[in-house]
Each structure stands twice: as C-alpha cells, then as structure tokens.
Amino acid sequence: MSPVTAGVLQLLALIGALALVYIPFGNYMARVYSSAKHLRVERWIYKGIGADPDTEMTWPAYLRAVLAFSAVGVLFLYLLQRLQGVLPGSMGFSSVNPAQSFNTAVSFVTNTNWQSYYGEQTMGHVVQTAGLAVQNFVSAAVGMAVAVALVRGFARSRTGALGNFWSDLVRGTLRILVPVAAVAAVVLVACGAIQNFSGIHEVGQFMGGSQQWNGGAVASQEAIKELGTNGGGYFNANSAHPFENPNAFTNLFEIFLILVIPFSLTRTFGVMVGSVKQGYAILATMFTIWLGFTALMMWTEFAHHGPALQAAGGAMEGKEVRFGVGGSSIFAVSTTLTSTGAVDSFHSSFTGLGGGITMLGMMLGEIAPGGTGSGLYGILIMAVIAVFIAGLMVGRTPEYLGKKIGGREMKLAAAYILITPALVLVFTAASMALPTPPNSMLNSGAHGFSEVLYAFTSAANNNGSAFAGLNANTDWYNTMTGLAMLLGRFLPMVFVLALAGSLAEQQPVPVTAGTLRTEKPLFTGLLVGAILIITGLTYFPALALGPLAEGLA
C-alpha cells in the first residue's frame, strides 16, 4: 500500500468514527447542560465551594465567576511549582524558577499548555497529576461553559440570565470529560501507553550505553490532554514519544479525541436552540475548512522533489516513521485548527508551505472545529459577522436565530475578532525589534521570523504547539507568551459573554420572506468565505514575510 493510500484510508476512518458518535454524543451534552437535576457528588462539590447551582447569573456575574476561578487556578499551580522541591513525589526535581512557573501556570489554566521545559526532567508526579492534569480538565470545562452560555443567549429571550457557571463547570467536568477521558486512558494503556508512578531508572540504548528515564501517569494525562484540546505532553517529544503515542492506531485515536467534542458541540448547539439544522450548518462550515486544510497539507507534504524524498515517500524530516506523512499531516492540521497544540511531528521540519498551513489554522481563530468550547463560541461570533455582511448586501437589518444584530452586537463581535491578531502581531514585532536573548532564534531569515510568529500565534490563540526551533525558555519569552496567553484567553471571553447577555435580553423577531436562511448551504459558503477573507486580510503581510517567502524561495 502506498503512503498516499494509507493516509487517505486513515482520513476516511477518522471521518467515519466522528460521524458515528456525532448525534448521540451531541445530544448527551445538550442533556447535561439542560438538565435540572444535580448528581449527589455534584451537590457535595457545590456545598464545599459554597455555590448555589440553581441561581441564574447575568453575564457580568458569569464573567466574574470565570475570572475568579481561573485566577485561583493560576495561583495554586504557580505555588505548586515553586514548592515542588519540598513536595513528595518530586523525584528529586528542584522548584521551578519564577518566570517559568508563571508561564506554565498561565499556560495550563488558559487551556494552552505551552511548554518551555522538558516535562520528564522538570515536573514531578505531584505537579504533573495534582496540578497540570487537573487543569487539563477544568480549563476545558471553562471553555465549554462559556460556549453554553453563548448558546443560551441565542436560545433565551427577555432575560439577562445565562445559567450558572459553577453548575456548568462541574457538569462539564464530571459528566463529560471525566468519564470519556477514563475510557480513553484505558484504551491507550491497552495499546501500549504507560501509566505508573515509577521513579528515575537507567534504560539501555540500542547502540550501547544508557540514559535515565522516568515513568508517570502518562495515559490518563494523554487522554484528557487530547480530549480537552489542551496539548502539552508528559515528555518533551510530546505525542511523538512512544510512551504517549505508541503506534498508528493510537495516533488516529488521539486525533479522534481532539476532534470529537468540538465537532459534536455543533449538535449540542442545534438541540439547545431548537433547530438541529442550524447545528448542521455550523458543522458543515467547520468540516469544510478542516477537510480542505487536511487535503492541502497532505498534498504539500507528499509533493516531494529529489531522490531522497522520493525514496521516503514524502517529506519525512521531523516525522515519526510509525505514523508516516499521512498520519502526521492529519494530526498537524487537527491540532492547529483546534486549540490543542499536541504534536506527533515537528512543524518546523514541515515544508515551507506546510508550516504555513499549521500557522494559518491557528490564525483562523481555531474555529474549524476549534477548541473544546472555544471553537463553538468563536465560530458563532463569525456567524454573527457573516449575517451582518449579508444584511449590508441587501440593505436589511441582519438577524441570526431570531435575534437582531445591531450596533452593540457588532461592536462586541468586532472586538472579539480584533483582539487576538493584535496580540499576535504586537508581541511578534516587539520580539523581533527588541534585543531579546541572542540564543533564542536558532534560525535566521524567513524561517527564523516564522518561528517567532508561530510562537505568539500559538500563545495568543491558546494552542500551545511550537515550531520547535525557538528556544522559548528565557525570561523574555516566558513572560511575553504568558501575557499573550492570559489576554488571548480571557479578553475574548469578556466580549463573548457580553454578547450572550445582549442577545438573551432581546425579544425574538419573526421569520419573514427577507430573513436570511442560516441553515442553508448558501450561508455555509458565506461563513467559510468570511472566515478566510477576514483572516487573510489580517495576517497576509506577516505570512508573506515568513512561511510564504520560505515556501516560494
């Protein structure tokens, strides 16, 4: 079987698996967030934190709860790293330095999981499990809660209430993420991923000699890192490491975990707003972009020149032979079109155009299908903008799901789509212009610029992957990427929740002959075009200086 055929078959198998679970899983998540009943364990948690899960929150109250919970998470994870040297299970590792502790704490709380350190040489068992793994669950649940609040904004009328954050957080964690991650961890262990609390021991090498290696609760963390679109990894090699991703089946299974919640949430959205066709329209938009990017990536990586690349069957530099070009291409597109950031290959070693595709995937706002929760609320913001553009074309007040899109709604949507590009471009420009540490950029020219642009694109979009050619473990990059992650995560949430509150207060308008049918293929095409054009106009100059210049050289 040729490498191209193998890659296509993997893609078809992945699409089939996602289609199989789409309806039942999407319906289940809708029931989770719509149910009036609380499980016993949930009541214990509410009592422990002093929250009333039945109290409805306006958007400012919902936002305050999100920010307060996340701030406590950053502080707890920072202190856990700073005290690692005196904690049990540290495996002899010392406390993490302040700049890196700040960066890592922010990274995991913002669902980014950017790592400027070697995981197996820096973090002990307590920090990995009680700190990083816990944030993998709750940071994903926060994103889902904000998405559900926006969906309620569309579904409700004449009220400012968006639900209860604490109820949404706990339900998303206990009823969705924990059970699915537990099953996924068992599958990974059965397929060869490790799960233990062993210490450091000597491991022999094929060519003689030995090296020190440690185990860990890898399978459980790998499951939630992919399911919650968190990223990061127990080991520095990330999902290219055989302890995290042993074979071609686990590689495809991990891609499935990355995509299953973001795609299925479109069904949840359709059920909660009372029109599954609206959910299908959003799904079609996400799927069109994801499939297009995947096909383009596979083409660029298989379109090889020269005898060495022809013999390998594609551009194999930086890729694991266990996965090949096809599996690596699907993983690369899926992890950058979501906010995952896990990698099974090194994007810096992709072809110039292939590296640009991964970067453009993040620049879209990671909405195809996007992160756990963040992808849904991101593409719904883009849907609002697409409806507004359509309204301008025909001279009619734009409406979406029975809600008028007026000046206030458009200002909030515009602020949402502008904040992340501003962070990316400003921080990239500062890093290129200011005298940053000379050993940070390992490459010069267009590729060196691409590394820096990729780093801040990844940080501001809460992705967490890297080109792997940039030494980001410096005070400058630890601090600047930390700020980019914080602002890139929580400023957009302000605009999302404010928009949700504004929509929930409106009285629905009746459908008329002039209403744009947003469940039709025409709207899907309009939405795809709006996403690509807005992103292209925003980032094209920067892309022209980096990956496009390198790819065309």
Side-chain angles (χ1 to χ4, degrees):
M1 184 185 298
S2 71
V4 176
T5 303
V8 172
L9 289 177
Q10 289 181 64
L11 181 60
L12 292 176
L14 176 63
I15 294 172
L18 291 169
L20 189 65
V21 303
Y22 173 74
I23 292 178
F25 192 40
N27 290 348
Y28 170 72
M29 289 192 287
R31 290 195 299 271
V32 166
Y33 289 112
S34 302
S35 173
K37 297 181 179 180
H38 305 293
L39 302 179
R40 181 177 298 178
V41 65
E42 293 172 350
R43 294 194 191 97
W44 293 342
I45 294 174
Y46 300 139
K47 186 175 181 180
I49 62 177
D52 180 0
D54 297 314
T55 300
E56 290 281 335
M57 293 180 173
T58 59
W59 79 261
Y62 205 100
L63 176 63
R64 286 195 298 271
V66 169
L67 297 179
F69 177 77
S70 301
V72 171
V74 170
L75 180 61
F76 173 77
L77 190 50
Y78 176 84
L79 292 176
L80 202 63
Q81 294 173 84
R82 296 293 293 138
L83 297 173
Q84 176 174 248
V86 298
L87 293 175
S90 64
M91 297 190 296
F93 296 147
S94 60
S95 299
V96 184
N97 70 64
Q100 195 168 73
S101 293
F102 165 74
N103 183 278
T104 304
V106 167
S107 174
F108 279 78
V109 171
T110 58
N111 198 240
T112 310
N113 293 32
W114 170 274
Q115 292 176 291
S116 61
Y117 58 87
Y118 299 105
E120 68 270 29
Q121 299 177 17
T122 307
M123 304 297 184
H125 292 318
V126 172
V127 175
Q128 289 273 18
T129 55
L132 307 186
V134 168
Q135 285 301 325
N136 280 348
F137 282 96
V138 295
S139 65
V142 168
M144 295 169 70
V146 173
V148 169
L150 179 58
V151 172
R152 292 193 186 111
F154 284 110
R156 295 180 176 182
S157 59
R158 294 184 292 273
T159 177
L162 298 177
N164 184 282
F165 169 72
W166 303 110
S167 175
D168 293 337
L169 173 72
V170 171
R171 290 182 178 191
T173 303
L174 295 185
R175 301 193 196 183
I176 300 172
L177 296 173
V178 169
V180 178
V183 173
V186 172
V187 172
L188 291 174
V189 170
C191 293
I194 68 169
Q195 181 78 8
N196 56 55
F197 290 100
S198 69
I200 298 174
H201 51 274
E202 294 288 327
V203 178
Q205 296 177 326
F206 287 114
M207 303 301 292
S210 63
Q211 65 182 102
Q212 289 187 331
W213 211 261
N214 58 278
V218 177
S220 58
Q221 186 152 319
E222 190 74 12
I224 187 56
K225 116 180 179 185
E226 312 294 15
L227 182 67
T229 61
N230 295 285
Y234 208 99
F235 299 100
N236 183 51
N238 209 278
S239 293
H241 198 289
F243 288 176
E244 293 192 23
N245 194 0
N247 51 57
F249 172 77
T250 59
N251 188 62
L252 203 62
F253 180 64
E254 290 181 12
I255 300 173
F256 171 82
L257 292 177
I258 290 172
L259 299 174
V260 65
I261 290 181
F263 273 132
S264 298
L265 275 174
T266 61
R267 175 74 180 190
T268 305
F269 161 70
V271 172
M272 292 183 69
V273 298
S275 173
V276 294
K277 290 183 178 180
Q278 297 289 347
Y280 283 130
I282 298 298
L283 172 66
T285 303
M286 290 180 170
F287 181 76
T288 299
I289 296 174
W290 174 78
L291 186 61
F293 271 55
T294 302
L296 189 60
M297 177 66 84
M298 293 177 72
W299 175 77
T300 61
E301 296 304 301
F302 278 120
H304 42 79
H305 303 284
L309 292 176
Q310 289 175 0
M316 281 299 294
E317 180 188 347
K319 300 180 179 67
E320 265 289 335
V321 294
R322 289 173 291 137
F323 313 137
V325 173
S328 300
S329 298
I330 300 170
F331 200 115
V333 169
S334 299
T335 196
T336 50
L337 276 175
T338 62
S339 64
T340 309
V343 293
D344 72 347
S345 55
F346 291 96
H347 298 171
S348 183
S349 296
F350 277 44
T351 61
L353 295 178
I357 291 169
T358 61
M359 205 180 305
L360 182 61
M362 294 184 292
M363 290 172 174
L364 291 181
E366 297 173 318
I367 54 179
T372 302
S374 60
L376 180 62
Y377 65 67
I379 201 167
L380 289 177
I381 295 289
M382 293 303 303
V384 167
I385 293 173
V387 167
F388 182 77
I389 293 172
L392 292 178
M393 291 179 178
V394 299
R396 179 182 171 87
T397 302
E399 304 163 6
Y400 186 53
L401 298 176
K403 302 297 178 72
K404 287 188 175 182
I405 309 302
R408 173 177 169 79
E409 289 75 24
M410 274 309 301
K411 289 175 184 177
L412 293 170
Y416 176 92
I417 66 170
L418 289 174
I419 186 62
T420 304
L423 293 172
V424 172
L425 298 177
V426 169
F427 279 116
T428 300
S431 296
M432 296 300 296
L434 298 177
T436 56
N439 62 339
S440 293
M441 292 176 58
L442 303 182
N443 295 283
S444 58
H447 195 79
F449 175 77
S450 293
E451 291 173 352
V452 178
L453 178 63
Y454 190 105
F456 285 107
T457 301
S458 177
N461 284 282
N462 302 129
N463 181 272
S465 65
F467 245 24
L470 178 72
N471 175 21
N473 189 15
T474 64
D475 287 348
W476 169 266
Y477 281 106
N478 277 329
T479 303
M480 293 301 105
T481 55
L483 291 175
M485 287 184 279
L486 272 177
L487 297 174
R489 174 70 165 178
F490 295 113
L491 280 182
M493 285 185 176
V494 174
F495 304 126
V496 169
L497 292 173
L499 176 61
S502 178
L503 293 171
E505 292 172 354
Q506 290 189 28
Q507 181 173 346
V509 294
V511 176
T512 66
T515 301
L516 175 66
R517 301 296 297 272
T518 53
E519 77 280 11
K520 297 294 184 180
L522 176 63
F523 179 72
T524 297
L526 175 65
L527 183 52
V528 170
I531 292 169
L532 296 178
I533 291 172
I534 290 172
T535 303
L537 291 175
T538 304
Y539 286 107
F540 181 78
L543 289 170
L545 293 174
L548 288 177
E550 182 183 0
L552 297 174

